[in-house]
Amino acid sequence: FKPKVILSIWGSDLFWFQRFPKHHKKIGSVINKVDLLVVECQRDRELALTFGFKGMFFESIPATGGLNTVLLAEKARHLPAKERKWIAVKGYSGFVGQGKDAIRVISEIENQITDFSVMVYSAGLGTHWFARGLQKKMGARLVIARKHKLSNNDIQEMFLKSRAALGLSLSDGLPATVKEAMCMGAFPIQTSTSCAGEWFTNQVSGILVEPNQIQSTAAALLKVLRDDKLVESAQDDNLMKAEQLFSENALKEKAKKLYSSMVELDNQL
């Protein structure tokens, strides 16, 4: 009897490491032991096939769990996105995080967004010290929270008061922060090196930007901060999508279906 192997991969497992030849053999060795591969987007399905994967795929599913989307949508509608005066900025640095670039984006347009405040959350050490320089200019309008310093409730409150959520990285799957922003009415701006574009509609309910492009990312953020109709329609669209895609019930049913599919496969053999 050979037990079936299910592998659920994170966003950078294939996309980031496939660029390094020394990892190719390792990747191929692992995925060719797998019977059912669970990914967050079509991009990673295609990558798995290039490494010779011969097993089954399950439908795209977030690697992180479900949320109480009904409650979050109710809270989100108490403060419509167009009335919000905060920008949530992901501060990850090191590995693939580009928190410093996110600070450069804010610095680029700081004098044009004087009626907004910025929360830099999950800041790595490098981002923290880099942001301190901008904080001297922005004062109390720039708040910096180091990684692991905010509770889940703090994060929730941040997204519920944010008009835009900016996240920049060199590699990702579906960032949990994009999922959370969509569930709470904050307009997501995320690098195209993620899978986010398969979960929101680019230029409609979110915006994809290119890594290392400070000026074009700053222009995208300014658009979100100035266009009330854009963020209003995006909030409606994302809250509806979140209920379908990210709710606890929806993901619970997907998980049941995942394991049932393996049982059915066993029964056929």
Side-chain angles (χ1 to χ4, degrees), residues 81-88 106 109-119 138-143 161-164 221-228 231:
K82 67 179 182 179
E83 297 176 13
R84 302 180 185 187
K85 292 298 181 181
W86 282 84
I87 305 164
I106 299 298
I109 57 173
E110 182 275 329
N111 61 352
Q112 300 178 64
I113 58 171
T114 53
D115 51 340
F116 285 90
S117 296
V118 176
M119 168 63 87
M138 293 183 66
R141 290 194 301 115
L142 178 60
V143 179
K161 68 181 182 182
S162 294
R163 179 170 175 132
L221 178 55
L222 272 181
K223 177 182 178 181
V224 173
L225 299 181
R226 290 172 172 172
D227 192 335
D228 287 348
V231 295

PDB file of all heavy atoms in Angstrom, residues 81-88 106 109-119 138-143 161-164 221-228 231:
ATOM      1  N   ALA A  81     -14.884  53.015   1.383  1.00  0.00           N
ATOM      2  CA  ALA A  81     -13.481  53.226   1.001  1.00  0.00           C
ATOM      3  C   ALA A  81     -13.204  54.669   0.596  1.00  0.00           C
ATOM      4  O   ALA A  81     -12.135  55.206   0.898  1.00  0.00           O
ATOM      5  CB  ALA A  81     -13.111  52.272  -0.133  1.00  0.00           C
ATOM      6  N   LYS A  82     -14.144  55.305  -0.066  1.00  0.00           N
ATOM      7  CA  LYS A  82     -13.895  56.674  -0.543  1.00  0.00           C
ATOM      8  C   LYS A  82     -13.774  57.681   0.593  1.00  0.00           C
ATOM      9  O   LYS A  82     -13.282  58.797   0.390  1.00  0.00           O
ATOM     10  CB  LYS A  82     -14.990  57.101  -1.524  1.00  0.00           C
ATOM     11  CG  LYS A  82     -16.362  57.258  -0.917  1.00  0.00           C
ATOM     12  CD  LYS A  82     -17.351  57.714  -1.970  1.00  0.00           C
ATOM     13  CE  LYS A  82     -18.749  57.935  -1.370  1.00  0.00           C
ATOM     14  NZ  LYS A  82     -19.699  58.391  -2.403  1.00  0.00           N
ATOM     15  N   GLU A  83     -14.226  57.307   1.792  1.00  0.00           N
ATOM     16  CA  GLU A  83     -14.143  58.211   2.945  1.00  0.00           C
ATOM     17  C   GLU A  83     -12.928  57.919   3.829  1.00  0.00           C
ATOM     18  O   GLU A  83     -12.682  58.631   4.805  1.00  0.00           O
ATOM     19  CB  GLU A  83     -15.417  58.101   3.782  1.00  0.00           C
ATOM     20  CG  GLU A  83     -16.678  58.532   3.033  1.00  0.00           C
ATOM     21  CD  GLU A  83     -17.943  58.318   3.851  1.00  0.00           C
ATOM     22  OE1 GLU A  83     -17.822  58.081   5.082  1.00  0.00           O
ATOM     23  OE2 GLU A  83     -19.043  58.362   3.272  1.00  0.00           O
ATOM     24  N   ARG A  84     -12.179  56.909   3.511  1.00  0.00           N
ATOM     25  CA  ARG A  84     -11.060  56.499   4.358  1.00  0.00           C
ATOM     26  C   ARG A  84      -9.816  57.347   4.094  1.00  0.00           C
ATOM     27  O   ARG A  84      -9.566  57.773   2.974  1.00  0.00           O
ATOM     28  CB  ARG A  84     -10.748  55.018   4.137  1.00  0.00           C
ATOM     29  CG  ARG A  84     -11.941  54.110   4.427  1.00  0.00           C
ATOM     30  CD  ARG A  84     -11.594  52.654   4.189  1.00  0.00           C
ATOM     31  NE  ARG A  84     -12.761  51.784   4.349  1.00  0.00           N
ATOM     32  CZ  ARG A  84     -12.717  50.467   4.330  1.00  0.00           C
ATOM     33  NH1 ARG A  84     -11.547  49.859   4.133  1.00  0.00           N
ATOM     34  NH2 ARG A  84     -13.813  49.754   4.475  1.00  0.00           N
ATOM     35  N   LYS A  85      -9.028  57.545   5.154  1.00  0.00           N
ATOM     36  CA  LYS A  85      -7.879  58.450   5.079  1.00  0.00           C
ATOM     37  C   LYS A  85      -6.564  57.783   5.481  1.00  0.00           C
ATOM     38  O   LYS A  85      -5.613  58.466   5.871  1.00  0.00           O
ATOM     39  CB  LYS A  85      -8.132  59.670   5.980  1.00  0.00           C
ATOM     40  CG  LYS A  85      -9.247  60.584   5.476  1.00  0.00           C
ATOM     41  CD  LYS A  85      -8.899  61.180   4.107  1.00  0.00           C
ATOM     42  CE  LYS A  85      -9.982  62.111   3.593  1.00  0.00           C
ATOM     43  NZ  LYS A  85      -9.621  62.650   2.243  1.00  0.00           N
ATOM     44  N   TRP A  86      -6.505  56.456   5.378  1.00  0.00           N
ATOM     45  CA  TRP A  86      -5.273  55.733   5.691  1.00  0.00           C
ATOM     46  C   TRP A  86      -4.825  54.904   4.491  1.00  0.00           C
ATOM     47  O   TRP A  86      -5.639  54.482   3.674  1.00  0.00           O
ATOM     48  CB  TRP A  86      -5.469  54.802   6.896  1.00  0.00           C
ATOM     49  CG  TRP A  86      -5.447  55.530   8.208  1.00  0.00           C
ATOM     50  CD1 TRP A  86      -6.498  56.173   8.800  1.00  0.00           C
ATOM     51  CD2 TRP A  86      -4.328  55.692   9.083  1.00  0.00           C
ATOM     52  NE1 TRP A  86      -6.097  56.725   9.995  1.00  0.00           N
ATOM     53  CE2 TRP A  86      -4.770  56.442  10.193  1.00  0.00           C
ATOM     54  CE3 TRP A  86      -2.990  55.263   9.044  1.00  0.00           C
ATOM     55  CZ2 TRP A  86      -3.932  56.783  11.252  1.00  0.00           C
ATOM     56  CZ3 TRP A  86      -2.151  55.597  10.094  1.00  0.00           C
ATOM     57  CH2 TRP A  86      -2.622  56.355  11.186  1.00  0.00           C
ATOM     58  N   ILE A  87      -3.508  54.692   4.425  1.00  0.00           N
ATOM     59  CA  ILE A  87      -2.895  53.806   3.430  1.00  0.00           C
ATOM     60  C   ILE A  87      -2.138  52.731   4.200  1.00  0.00           C
ATOM     61  O   ILE A  87      -1.282  53.046   5.038  1.00  0.00           O
ATOM     62  CB  ILE A  87      -1.908  54.575   2.524  1.00  0.00           C
ATOM     63  CG1 ILE A  87      -2.594  55.772   1.861  1.00  0.00           C
ATOM     64  CG2 ILE A  87      -1.302  53.637   1.484  1.00  0.00           C
ATOM     65  CD1 ILE A  87      -1.604  56.779   1.284  1.00  0.00           C
ATOM     66  N   ALA A  88      -2.457  51.464   3.954  1.00  0.00           N
ATOM     67  CA  ALA A  88      -1.750  50.348   4.599  1.00  0.00           C
ATOM     68  C   ALA A  88      -0.582  49.934   3.704  1.00  0.00           C
ATOM     69  O   ALA A  88      -0.772  49.664   2.512  1.00  0.00           O
ATOM     70  CB  ALA A  88      -2.699  49.174   4.813  1.00  0.00           C
ATOM     71  N   ILE A 106       5.862  56.008  -1.173  1.00  0.00           N
ATOM     72  CA  ILE A 106       5.199  57.013  -0.335  1.00  0.00           C
ATOM     73  C   ILE A 106       5.983  58.321  -0.345  1.00  0.00           C
ATOM     74  O   ILE A 106       5.409  59.411  -0.461  1.00  0.00           O
ATOM     75  CB  ILE A 106       5.045  56.490   1.116  1.00  0.00           C
ATOM     76  CG1 ILE A 106       4.174  55.226   1.149  1.00  0.00           C
ATOM     77  CG2 ILE A 106       4.462  57.573   2.018  1.00  0.00           C
ATOM     78  CD1 ILE A 106       2.753  55.424   0.657  1.00  0.00           C
ATOM     79  N   ILE A 109       5.400  60.716  -3.333  1.00  0.00           N
ATOM     80  CA  ILE A 109       4.165  61.502  -3.438  1.00  0.00           C
ATOM     81  C   ILE A 109       3.741  62.107  -2.096  1.00  0.00           C
ATOM     82  O   ILE A 109       2.628  62.614  -1.966  1.00  0.00           O
ATOM     83  CB  ILE A 109       3.005  60.635  -3.976  1.00  0.00           C
ATOM     84  CG1 ILE A 109       2.778  59.404  -3.078  1.00  0.00           C
ATOM     85  CG2 ILE A 109       3.277  60.213  -5.415  1.00  0.00           C
ATOM     86  CD1 ILE A 109       1.545  58.591  -3.452  1.00  0.00           C
ATOM     87  N   GLU A 110       4.641  62.093  -1.121  1.00  0.00           N
ATOM     88  CA  GLU A 110       4.287  62.527   0.241  1.00  0.00           C
ATOM     89  C   GLU A 110       3.656  63.911   0.268  1.00  0.00           C
ATOM     90  O   GLU A 110       2.672  64.155   0.980  1.00  0.00           O
ATOM     91  CB  GLU A 110       5.545  62.477   1.122  1.00  0.00           C
ATOM     92  CG  GLU A 110       5.313  62.865   2.566  1.00  0.00           C
ATOM     93  CD  GLU A 110       5.389  64.367   2.785  1.00  0.00           C
ATOM     94  OE1 GLU A 110       6.148  65.031   2.053  1.00  0.00           O
ATOM     95  OE2 GLU A 110       4.677  64.864   3.689  1.00  0.00           O
ATOM     96  N   ASN A 111       4.176  64.840  -0.535  1.00  0.00           N
ATOM     97  CA  ASN A 111       3.648  66.206  -0.495  1.00  0.00           C
ATOM     98  C   ASN A 111       2.323  66.357  -1.242  1.00  0.00           C
ATOM     99  O   ASN A 111       1.697  67.419  -1.203  1.00  0.00           O
ATOM    100  CB  ASN A 111       4.671  67.201  -1.059  1.00  0.00           C
ATOM    101  CG  ASN A 111       5.032  66.915  -2.517  1.00  0.00           C
ATOM    102  OD1 ASN A 111       4.628  65.895  -3.074  1.00  0.00           O
ATOM    103  ND2 ASN A 111       5.805  67.806  -3.117  1.00  0.00           N
ATOM    104  N   GLN A 112       1.874  65.261  -1.908  1.00  0.00           N
ATOM    105  CA  GLN A 112       0.581  65.307  -2.613  1.00  0.00           C
ATOM    106  C   GLN A 112      -0.513  64.567  -1.847  1.00  0.00           C
ATOM    107  O   GLN A 112      -1.669  64.563  -2.280  1.00  0.00           O
ATOM    108  CB  GLN A 112       0.727  64.666  -4.002  1.00  0.00           C
ATOM    109  CG  GLN A 112       1.746  65.362  -4.892  1.00  0.00           C
ATOM    110  CD  GLN A 112       1.870  64.647  -6.238  1.00  0.00           C
ATOM    111  OE1 GLN A 112       0.934  64.580  -7.029  1.00  0.00           O
ATOM    112  NE2 GLN A 112       3.058  64.096  -6.488  1.00  0.00           N
ATOM    113  N   ILE A 113      -0.140  63.948  -0.733  1.00  0.00           N
ATOM    114  CA  ILE A 113      -1.128  63.159   0.022  1.00  0.00           C
ATOM    115  C   ILE A 113      -1.174  63.617   1.482  1.00  0.00           C
ATOM    116  O   ILE A 113      -1.298  62.819   2.399  1.00  0.00           O
ATOM    117  CB  ILE A 113      -0.821  61.643  -0.066  1.00  0.00           C
ATOM    118  CG1 ILE A 113       0.592  61.331   0.457  1.00  0.00           C
ATOM    119  CG2 ILE A 113      -0.972  61.144  -1.500  1.00  0.00           C
ATOM    120  CD1 ILE A 113       0.886  59.840   0.613  1.00  0.00           C
ATOM    121  N   THR A 114      -1.108  64.921   1.673  1.00  0.00           N
ATOM    122  CA  THR A 114      -1.042  65.462   3.032  1.00  0.00           C
ATOM    123  C   THR A 114      -2.311  65.227   3.846  1.00  0.00           C
ATOM    124  O   THR A 114      -2.296  65.370   5.068  1.00  0.00           O
ATOM    125  CB  THR A 114      -0.736  66.967   2.990  1.00  0.00           C
ATOM    126  OG1 THR A 114      -1.684  67.613   2.127  1.00  0.00           O
ATOM    127  CG2 THR A 114       0.675  67.216   2.454  1.00  0.00           C
ATOM    128  N   ASP A 115      -3.409  64.868   3.178  1.00  0.00           N
ATOM    129  CA  ASP A 115      -4.645  64.577   3.916  1.00  0.00           C
ATOM    130  C   ASP A 115      -4.783  63.086   4.234  1.00  0.00           C
ATOM    131  O   ASP A 115      -5.815  62.648   4.743  1.00  0.00           O
ATOM    132  CB  ASP A 115      -5.877  65.060   3.141  1.00  0.00           C
ATOM    133  CG  ASP A 115      -5.903  64.565   1.703  1.00  0.00           C
ATOM    134  OD1 ASP A 115      -4.832  64.177   1.193  1.00  0.00           O
ATOM    135  OD2 ASP A 115      -6.991  64.576   1.091  1.00  0.00           O
ATOM    136  N   PHE A 116      -3.727  62.299   3.954  1.00  0.00           N
ATOM    137  CA  PHE A 116      -3.731  60.862   4.265  1.00  0.00           C
ATOM    138  C   PHE A 116      -2.640  60.537   5.281  1.00  0.00           C
ATOM    139  O   PHE A 116      -1.605  61.206   5.340  1.00  0.00           O
ATOM    140  CB  PHE A 116      -3.491  60.024   3.007  1.00  0.00           C
ATOM    141  CG  PHE A 116      -4.682  59.947   2.092  1.00  0.00           C
ATOM    142  CD1 PHE A 116      -4.864  60.885   1.075  1.00  0.00           C
ATOM    143  CD2 PHE A 116      -5.631  58.951   2.251  1.00  0.00           C
ATOM    144  CE1 PHE A 116      -5.964  60.820   0.236  1.00  0.00           C
ATOM    145  CE2 PHE A 116      -6.727  58.873   1.420  1.00  0.00           C
ATOM    146  CZ  PHE A 116      -6.906  59.813   0.414  1.00  0.00           C
ATOM    147  N   SER A 117      -2.890  59.488   6.063  1.00  0.00           N
ATOM    148  CA  SER A 117      -1.885  58.935   6.965  1.00  0.00           C
ATOM    149  C   SER A 117      -1.488  57.550   6.463  1.00  0.00           C
ATOM    150  O   SER A 117      -2.233  56.903   5.720  1.00  0.00           O
ATOM    151  CB  SER A 117      -2.442  58.829   8.389  1.00  0.00           C
ATOM    152  OG  SER A 117      -2.728  60.115   8.906  1.00  0.00           O
ATOM    153  N   VAL A 118      -0.304  57.100   6.865  1.00  0.00           N
ATOM    154  CA  VAL A 118       0.252  55.837   6.369  1.00  0.00           C
ATOM    155  C   VAL A 118       0.603  54.926   7.543  1.00  0.00           C
ATOM    156  O   VAL A 118       1.264  55.355   8.502  1.00  0.00           O
ATOM    157  CB  VAL A 118       1.521  56.088   5.521  1.00  0.00           C
ATOM    158  CG1 VAL A 118       2.152  54.772   5.087  1.00  0.00           C
ATOM    159  CG2 VAL A 118       1.190  56.971   4.317  1.00  0.00           C
ATOM    160  N   MET A 119       0.160  53.674   7.464  1.00  0.00           N
ATOM    161  CA  MET A 119       0.542  52.651   8.436  1.00  0.00           C
ATOM    162  C   MET A 119       1.456  51.648   7.754  1.00  0.00           C
ATOM    163  O   MET A 119       1.032  50.926   6.835  1.00  0.00           O
ATOM    164  CB  MET A 119      -0.688  51.933   8.990  1.00  0.00           C
ATOM    165  CG  MET A 119      -0.372  50.656   9.782  1.00  0.00           C
ATOM    166  SD  MET A 119       0.614  50.929  11.276  1.00  0.00           S
ATOM    167  CE  MET A 119      -0.695  51.284  12.448  1.00  0.00           C
ATOM    168  N   MET A 138       7.070  63.373   7.737  1.00  0.00           N
ATOM    169  CA  MET A 138       5.623  63.187   7.822  1.00  0.00           C
ATOM    170  C   MET A 138       5.092  63.274   9.251  1.00  0.00           C
ATOM    171  O   MET A 138       3.894  63.482   9.460  1.00  0.00           O
ATOM    172  CB  MET A 138       5.222  61.835   7.216  1.00  0.00           C
ATOM    173  CG  MET A 138       5.442  61.747   5.722  1.00  0.00           C
ATOM    174  SD  MET A 138       4.875  60.163   5.022  1.00  0.00           S
ATOM    175  CE  MET A 138       3.085  60.271   5.282  1.00  0.00           C
ATOM    176  N   GLY A 139       5.957  63.064  10.223  1.00  0.00           N
ATOM    177  CA  GLY A 139       5.523  63.154  11.615  1.00  0.00           C
ATOM    178  C   GLY A 139       4.510  62.075  11.970  1.00  0.00           C
ATOM    179  O   GLY A 139       4.656  60.914  11.589  1.00  0.00           O
ATOM    180  N   ALA A 140       3.455  62.483  12.667  1.00  0.00           N
ATOM    181  CA  ALA A 140       2.457  61.531  13.167  1.00  0.00           C
ATOM    182  C   ALA A 140       1.647  60.895  12.054  1.00  0.00           C
ATOM    183  O   ALA A 140       0.915  59.924  12.293  1.00  0.00           O
ATOM    184  CB  ALA A 140       1.528  62.231  14.156  1.00  0.00           C
ATOM    185  N   ARG A 141       1.776  61.399  10.827  1.00  0.00           N
ATOM    186  CA  ARG A 141       1.027  60.805   9.703  1.00  0.00           C
ATOM    187  C   ARG A 141       1.641  59.492   9.230  1.00  0.00           C
ATOM    188  O   ARG A 141       1.040  58.794   8.425  1.00  0.00           O
ATOM    189  CB  ARG A 141       0.945  61.782   8.521  1.00  0.00           C
ATOM    190  CG  ARG A 141       0.055  62.975   8.766  1.00  0.00           C
ATOM    191  CD  ARG A 141      -0.260  63.710   7.467  1.00  0.00           C
ATOM    192  NE  ARG A 141       0.925  64.184   6.792  1.00  0.00           N
ATOM    193  CZ  ARG A 141       1.337  63.746   5.603  1.00  0.00           C
ATOM    194  NH1 ARG A 141       0.666  62.800   4.957  1.00  0.00           N
ATOM    195  NH2 ARG A 141       2.428  64.245   5.047  1.00  0.00           N
ATOM    196  N   LEU A 142       2.827  59.165   9.689  1.00  0.00           N
ATOM    197  CA  LEU A 142       3.474  57.902   9.341  1.00  0.00           C
ATOM    198  C   LEU A 142       3.677  57.078  10.609  1.00  0.00           C
ATOM    199  O   LEU A 142       4.423  57.472  11.507  1.00  0.00           O
ATOM    200  CB  LEU A 142       4.815  58.134   8.643  1.00  0.00           C
ATOM    201  CG  LEU A 142       5.606  56.870   8.263  1.00  0.00           C
ATOM    202  CD1 LEU A 142       4.813  56.000   7.308  1.00  0.00           C
ATOM    203  CD2 LEU A 142       6.954  57.234   7.648  1.00  0.00           C
ATOM    204  N   VAL A 143       3.006  55.943  10.677  1.00  0.00           N
ATOM    205  CA  VAL A 143       3.112  55.039  11.825  1.00  0.00           C
ATOM    206  C   VAL A 143       3.822  53.772  11.365  1.00  0.00           C
ATOM    207  O   VAL A 143       3.494  53.219  10.309  1.00  0.00           O
ATOM    208  CB  VAL A 143       1.709  54.696  12.385  1.00  0.00           C
ATOM    209  CG1 VAL A 143       1.836  53.744  13.569  1.00  0.00           C
ATOM    210  CG2 VAL A 143       0.959  55.965  12.781  1.00  0.00           C
ATOM    211  N   LYS A 161      -9.898  50.700   7.966  1.00  0.00           N
ATOM    212  CA  LYS A 161      -9.846  52.157   7.865  1.00  0.00           C
ATOM    213  C   LYS A 161      -8.972  52.625   6.694  1.00  0.00           C
ATOM    214  O   LYS A 161      -8.802  53.822   6.490  1.00  0.00           O
ATOM    215  CB  LYS A 161      -9.350  52.778   9.172  1.00  0.00           C
ATOM    216  CG  LYS A 161      -7.908  52.520   9.521  1.00  0.00           C
ATOM    217  CD  LYS A 161      -7.543  53.184  10.859  1.00  0.00           C
ATOM    218  CE  LYS A 161      -6.079  52.987  11.197  1.00  0.00           C
ATOM    219  NZ  LYS A 161      -5.713  53.586  12.508  1.00  0.00           N
ATOM    220  N   SER A 162      -8.435  51.659   5.922  1.00  0.00           N
ATOM    221  CA  SER A 162      -7.520  52.007   4.824  1.00  0.00           C
ATOM    222  C   SER A 162      -8.243  52.086   3.486  1.00  0.00           C
ATOM    223  O   SER A 162      -9.049  51.224   3.149  1.00  0.00           O
ATOM    224  CB  SER A 162      -6.385  50.984   4.726  1.00  0.00           C
ATOM    225  OG  SER A 162      -5.565  51.045   5.865  1.00  0.00           O
ATOM    226  N   ARG A 163      -7.915  53.102   2.744  1.00  0.00           N
ATOM    227  CA  ARG A 163      -8.446  53.252   1.380  1.00  0.00           C
ATOM    228  C   ARG A 163      -7.667  52.367   0.413  1.00  0.00           C
ATOM    229  O   ARG A 163      -8.233  51.784  -0.511  1.00  0.00           O
ATOM    230  CB  ARG A 163      -8.355  54.710   0.940  1.00  0.00           C
ATOM    231  CG  ARG A 163      -8.867  54.975  -0.477  1.00  0.00           C
ATOM    232  CD  ARG A 163      -8.961  56.449  -0.730  1.00  0.00           C
ATOM    233  NE  ARG A 163      -9.344  56.754  -2.108  1.00  0.00           N
ATOM    234  CZ  ARG A 163     -10.301  57.612  -2.445  1.00  0.00           C
ATOM    235  NH1 ARG A 163     -11.003  58.227  -1.503  1.00  0.00           N
ATOM    236  NH2 ARG A 163     -10.569  57.864  -3.707  1.00  0.00           N
ATOM    237  N   ALA A 164      -6.360  52.278   0.607  1.00  0.00           N
ATOM    238  CA  ALA A 164      -5.490  51.494  -0.281  1.00  0.00           C
ATOM    239  C   ALA A 164      -4.584  50.604   0.556  1.00  0.00           C
ATOM    240  O   ALA A 164      -4.220  50.943   1.685  1.00  0.00           O
ATOM    241  CB  ALA A 164      -4.657  52.421  -1.157  1.00  0.00           C
ATOM    242  N   LEU A 221      -0.902  54.499  -7.056  1.00  0.00           N
ATOM    243  CA  LEU A 221      -1.420  54.794  -5.721  1.00  0.00           C
ATOM    244  C   LEU A 221      -2.172  56.130  -5.723  1.00  0.00           C
ATOM    245  O   LEU A 221      -3.261  56.228  -5.142  1.00  0.00           O
ATOM    246  CB  LEU A 221      -0.270  54.834  -4.712  1.00  0.00           C
ATOM    247  CG  LEU A 221      -0.649  55.170  -3.266  1.00  0.00           C
ATOM    248  CD1 LEU A 221      -1.721  54.227  -2.730  1.00  0.00           C
ATOM    249  CD2 LEU A 221       0.589  55.143  -2.370  1.00  0.00           C
ATOM    250  N   LEU A 222      -1.627  57.126  -6.390  1.00  0.00           N
ATOM    251  CA  LEU A 222      -2.316  58.426  -6.479  1.00  0.00           C
ATOM    252  C   LEU A 222      -3.680  58.276  -7.140  1.00  0.00           C
ATOM    253  O   LEU A 222      -4.662  58.890  -6.709  1.00  0.00           O
ATOM    254  CB  LEU A 222      -1.475  59.424  -7.277  1.00  0.00           C
ATOM    255  CG  LEU A 222      -0.441  60.241  -6.512  1.00  0.00           C
ATOM    256  CD1 LEU A 222       0.276  61.181  -7.460  1.00  0.00           C
ATOM    257  CD2 LEU A 222      -1.081  61.025  -5.362  1.00  0.00           C
ATOM    258  N   LYS A 223      -3.750  57.465  -8.174  1.00  0.00           N
ATOM    259  CA  LYS A 223      -5.027  57.228  -8.854  1.00  0.00           C
ATOM    260  C   LYS A 223      -6.058  56.680  -7.881  1.00  0.00           C
ATOM    261  O   LYS A 223      -7.213  57.122  -7.852  1.00  0.00           O
ATOM    262  CB  LYS A 223      -4.821  56.247 -10.014  1.00  0.00           C
ATOM    263  CG  LYS A 223      -6.101  55.877 -10.752  1.00  0.00           C
ATOM    264  CD  LYS A 223      -5.812  54.864 -11.859  1.00  0.00           C
ATOM    265  CE  LYS A 223      -7.105  54.459 -12.569  1.00  0.00           C
ATOM    266  NZ  LYS A 223      -6.850  53.447 -13.639  1.00  0.00           N
ATOM    267  N   VAL A 224      -5.650  55.711  -7.068  1.00  0.00           N
ATOM    268  CA  VAL A 224      -6.566  55.094  -6.098  1.00  0.00           C
ATOM    269  C   VAL A 224      -7.006  56.110  -5.045  1.00  0.00           C
ATOM    270  O   VAL A 224      -8.166  56.118  -4.612  1.00  0.00           O
ATOM    271  CB  VAL A 224      -5.890  53.870  -5.442  1.00  0.00           C
ATOM    272  CG1 VAL A 224      -6.748  53.317  -4.309  1.00  0.00           C
ATOM    273  CG2 VAL A 224      -5.615  52.799  -6.490  1.00  0.00           C
ATOM    274  N   LEU A 225      -6.092  56.974  -4.645  1.00  0.00           N
ATOM    275  CA  LEU A 225      -6.417  57.951  -3.605  1.00  0.00           C
ATOM    276  C   LEU A 225      -7.297  59.081  -4.116  1.00  0.00           C
ATOM    277  O   LEU A 225      -7.985  59.743  -3.329  1.00  0.00           O
ATOM    278  CB  LEU A 225      -5.118  58.537  -3.019  1.00  0.00           C
ATOM    279  CG  LEU A 225      -4.170  57.531  -2.361  1.00  0.00           C
ATOM    280  CD1 LEU A 225      -2.945  58.246  -1.816  1.00  0.00           C
ATOM    281  CD2 LEU A 225      -4.869  56.750  -1.254  1.00  0.00           C
ATOM    282  N   ARG A 226      -7.330  59.294  -5.434  1.00  0.00           N
ATOM    283  CA  ARG A 226      -8.077  60.423  -6.002  1.00  0.00           C
ATOM    284  C   ARG A 226      -9.394  60.021  -6.673  1.00  0.00           C
ATOM    285  O   ARG A 226     -10.273  60.861  -6.856  1.00  0.00           O
ATOM    286  CB  ARG A 226      -7.195  61.140  -7.033  1.00  0.00           C
ATOM    287  CG  ARG A 226      -6.030  61.892  -6.418  1.00  0.00           C
ATOM    288  CD  ARG A 226      -5.080  62.414  -7.475  1.00  0.00           C
ATOM    289  NE  ARG A 226      -4.058  63.294  -6.904  1.00  0.00           N
ATOM    290  CZ  ARG A 226      -3.018  63.761  -7.582  1.00  0.00           C
ATOM    291  NH1 ARG A 226      -2.856  63.424  -8.869  1.00  0.00           N
ATOM    292  NH2 ARG A 226      -2.135  64.548  -6.994  1.00  0.00           N
ATOM    293  N   ASP A 227      -9.525  58.758  -7.035  1.00  0.00           N
ATOM    294  CA  ASP A 227     -10.689  58.317  -7.816  1.00  0.00           C
ATOM    295  C   ASP A 227     -11.720  57.637  -6.910  1.00  0.00           C
ATOM    296  O   ASP A 227     -11.631  56.447  -6.624  1.00  0.00           O
ATOM    297  CB  ASP A 227     -10.226  57.355  -8.918  1.00  0.00           C
ATOM    298  CG  ASP A 227     -11.307  57.075  -9.948  1.00  0.00           C
ATOM    299  OD1 ASP A 227     -12.502  57.211  -9.613  1.00  0.00           O
ATOM    300  OD2 ASP A 227     -10.956  56.694 -11.084  1.00  0.00           O
ATOM    301  N   ASP A 228     -12.703  58.410  -6.468  1.00  0.00           N
ATOM    302  CA  ASP A 228     -13.731  57.883  -5.563  1.00  0.00           C
ATOM    303  C   ASP A 228     -14.565  56.785  -6.217  1.00  0.00           C
ATOM    304  O   ASP A 228     -14.911  55.787  -5.571  1.00  0.00           O
ATOM    305  CB  ASP A 228     -14.662  59.009  -5.093  1.00  0.00           C
ATOM    306  CG  ASP A 228     -13.993  59.933  -4.088  1.00  0.00           C
ATOM    307  OD1 ASP A 228     -12.916  59.586  -3.581  1.00  0.00           O
ATOM    308  OD2 ASP A 228     -14.565  61.012  -3.812  1.00  0.00           O
ATOM    309  N   VAL A 231     -12.645  53.335  -6.225  1.00  0.00           N
ATOM    310  CA  VAL A 231     -12.575  52.587  -4.958  1.00  0.00           C
ATOM    311  C   VAL A 231     -13.963  52.167  -4.478  1.00  0.00           C
ATOM    312  O   VAL A 231     -14.111  51.126  -3.818  1.00  0.00           O
ATOM    313  CB  VAL A 231     -11.832  53.386  -3.861  1.00  0.00           C
ATOM    314  CG1 VAL A 231     -10.382  53.592  -4.237  1.00  0.00           C
ATOM    315  CG2 VAL A 231     -12.508  54.709  -3.560  1.00  0.00           C
TER     316      VAL A 231
END
